Amino acid sequence: AFIMMKDQVTPVRKIHTYGMRASDTAELRFEKAKAELLGARGRGREQALSVLDRGRIGIAALAVGIAEAAFDRANSYANERKQFGHPIGDFQAVQWMLVDSAMELEAAEVLTMHAANLQDQAKNTTKESAMAKLFASESAVRICDRAMQIHGGYGYSRDLPIERYLRDAKLCEIGEGTSQVQRLVIARHVLKEAKPLKLAHREPRRQPLGELPGEHRRHVLHDHDRHREVGGKALEQVGQRVRPAGRAVRPAVDGLRQ
């Protein structure tokens, strides 16, 4: 990173964004700007990645906050809005949307708090930060979308902040690394943490009958004949029970056909 004086930076234009409009996004121009190096030379990548680990936790917390606001409004609206003489929260379709949102919100908060706790202990949180950011941001978009669905056309209007929540939540899937980048980061760490499999004991593969020694072959053939005899007797017993029942049912079936 570099530090430079403010008078060396010229704003060109403000960029209008889909959401997060309270946070200005602008194009800047640097002309003959002199800068001072921030941090040790040769450690820029390490410092940038450490900043990302903290920043992704911040984005996750932001997503949780937006999702919670959308969920609270949807939950209240489901209890107050009535259709067909009942609050819409009595309808299973609405209940399921609220349930899915409640579960995702709780899980996103736990992941975010876990990553933040590890960061407070000065531990490496690259994987945990990416997990929290990925899950919280994608959950926030889904929760906001469900909130708008529960509000119906009213939620699509600007009379309510639901549409703004949805627009703001979308940035959380992009800022500090897209969702696709987070999956790459998580995959690298998960694969490195893989442990050797301890396969359960399995019996060795049996040899084909023709390759067995003579004594063993006789035993196998004897067991095969015995099992076939036992199986045949069992089938015969089942047949003795089924045949009388079949004879009793047949007249009724014939009567129905007539």
Side-chain angles (χ1 to χ4, degrees):
F2 300 92
I3 300 176
M4 57 184 60
M5 303 301 294
K6 184 178 179 180
D7 57 6
Q8 296 178 324
V9 181
T10 305
V12 177
R13 65 185 180 94
K14 181 178 178 179
I15 299 175
H16 297 283
T17 57
Y18 174 69
M20 290 290 180
R21 294 176 181 173
S23 176
D24 285 345
T25 302
E27 180 183 346
L28 304 177
R29 180 184 294 122
F30 304 94
E31 293 182 357
K32 299 180 180 180
K34 295 181 180 180
E36 294 184 12
L37 182 64
L38 179 63
R41 185 179 296 276
R43 297 189 60 190
R45 182 176 182 276
E46 177 184 345
Q47 293 169 353
L49 292 176
S50 66
V51 170
L52 279 177
D53 289 346
R54 294 193 297 271
R56 285 168 180 167
I57 297 174
I59 294 294
L62 176 62
V64 170
I66 296 172
E68 186 172 0
F71 175 76
D72 288 345
R73 280 190 169 271
N75 197 18
S76 298
Y77 188 78
N79 282 282
E80 296 171 3
R81 174 64 168 157
K82 291 186 177 181
Q83 284 288 353
F84 310 105
H86 295 275
I88 62 173
D90 288 349
F91 303 128
Q92 192 177 64
V94 175
Q95 292 174 356
W96 284 5
M97 286 192 284
L98 290 172
V99 168
D100 290 343
S101 295
M103 289 191 298
E104 289 183 349
L105 182 58
E106 291 282 348
E109 186 173 358
V110 169
L111 281 171
T112 303
M113 295 299 292
H114 175 61
N117 181 50
L118 293 178
Q119 187 70 222
D120 287 344
Q121 300 176 44
K123 294 183 179 180
N124 183 286
T125 63
T126 301
K127 182 187 74 173
E128 290 76 13
S129 297
M131 284 182 167
K133 194 263 186 190
L134 173 63
F135 187 83
S137 62
E138 293 191 346
S139 296
V141 172
R142 289 192 294 266
I143 292 170
C144 292
D145 182 69
R146 293 190 197 108
M148 180 176 289
Q149 198 72 16
I150 290 171
H151 281 80
Y154 194 27
Y156 192 69
S157 71
R158 291 197 172 184
D159 290 351
L160 296 178
I162 302 299
E163 55 86 26
R164 192 195 72 185
Y165 294 153
L166 183 56
R167 289 188 286 105
D168 289 352
K170 188 61 184 178
L171 177 64
C172 298
E173 290 186 322
I174 300 172
E176 299 287 342
T178 64
S179 294
Q180 290 71 28
V181 169
Q182 306 312 310
R183 285 181 167 86
L184 288 174
V185 171
I186 296 167
R188 292 192 190 109
H189 283 77
V190 168
L191 291 171
K192 287 181 180 178
E193 295 169 358
K195 298 177 180 179
L197 291 177
K198 294 181 179 179
L199 298 177
H201 175 69
R202 295 190 300 176
E203 293 293 333
R205 186 184 299 274
R206 293 182 177 179
Q207 291 177 280
L209 188 61
E211 298 178 6
L212 291 174
E215 184 67 23
H216 290 173
R217 186 160 52 246
R218 284 194 296 273
H219 282 299
V220 171
L221 290 172
H222 174 72
D223 290 344
H224 175 71
D225 292 338
R226 184 168 58 85
H227 292 158
R228 185 170 57 182
E229 180 183 356
V230 172
K233 289 181 179 179
L235 287 174
E236 184 178 354
Q237 292 175 0
V238 172
Q240 291 173 355
R241 295 177 183 177
V242 172
R243 275 193 292 273
R247 286 194 293 269
V249 172
R250 184 175 299 279
V253 174
D254 293 340
L256 289 174
R257 287 177 178 174
Q258 294 176 0

